[in-house]
Amino acid sequence: MCSSDLRGSPIRRLLSVVVGIPVVTAGLLLGWLWWAERPLKAVERSLTQGDFRVALERVDSYLKGDPASSRALDLKAQALVGLGRFADAVAIYERIGSDTVTGQRAWGEALLRTQRWTDALPLLRQVHQKEPQNANVTHELAACAMQAGEFEEAVRLADELAKLPGQRER
């Protein structure tokens, strides 16, 4: 039997269907996920650009269709932190938490700004472990440690901050 005889064989057709269905399904699923993620990617771009008002408008619009989306709520809380609405952000984070470094950082900052030092410390420590070269995180953690009475940690962090590029005067 030559290869031209297999082209139309029932086994070949069955194999095409068995392989084709999962491939087409995966393609459709990936396309749908990409389409569904577009609004949240736009929110992330606005946050990155520091346009917190637009980010909040976009995420609020998204949440009308999917009010339980933890990712959208995390992004909303980040926008609220950027707008200085720290208590509103804390309320969201206390309900949903955050599993992203950016979200944990925003949550820690919101707790810091509402003077909840001991609540902010563990979050800021986690973020600092993941981003030890981030001067803003190190500064926030040092300030928080000082306010929480963790003086040795605050001094160690201040020394660490001074060693980071461009941070000596801070």
Side-chain angles (χ1 to χ4, degrees), residues 116-131:
R116 291 178 52 186
W117 321 116
T118 55
D119 293 331
L121 269 174
L123 281 167
L124 292 173
R125 284 176 180 143
Q126 280 181 337
V127 174
H128 184 257
Q129 269 188 330
K130 294 172 186 168
E131 297 183 347

Side-chain angles (χ1 to χ4, degrees), residues 46-134:
S46 295
L47 289 170
T48 300
Q49 295 167 352
D51 198 345
F52 303 112
R53 184 188 52 76
V54 169
L56 185 58
E57 289 171 2
R58 286 179 172 164
V59 77
D60 278 341
S61 176
Y62 182 89
L63 284 166
K64 287 177 186 169
D66 188 2
S69 169
S70 60
R71 181 167 175 228
L73 288 167
D74 188 355
L75 294 172
K76 178 176 182 167
Q78 290 175 42
L80 291 169
V81 169
L83 292 169
R85 294 174 51 189
F86 305 114
D88 294 336
V90 167
I92 290 172
Y93 280 128
E94 286 180 339
R95 209 171 70 238
I96 64 156
S98 181
D99 60 356
T100 67
V101 174
T102 308
Q104 291 170 348
R105 166 116 195 275
W107 188 3
E109 181 180 350
L111 289 167
L112 180 74
R113 301 292 181 129
T114 56
Q115 299 182 358
R116 291 178 52 186
W117 321 116
T118 55
D119 293 331
L121 269 174
L123 281 167
L124 292 173
R125 284 176 180 143
Q126 280 181 337
V127 174
H128 184 257
Q129 269 188 330
K130 294 172 186 168
E131 297 183 347
Q133 298 301 311
N134 187 323

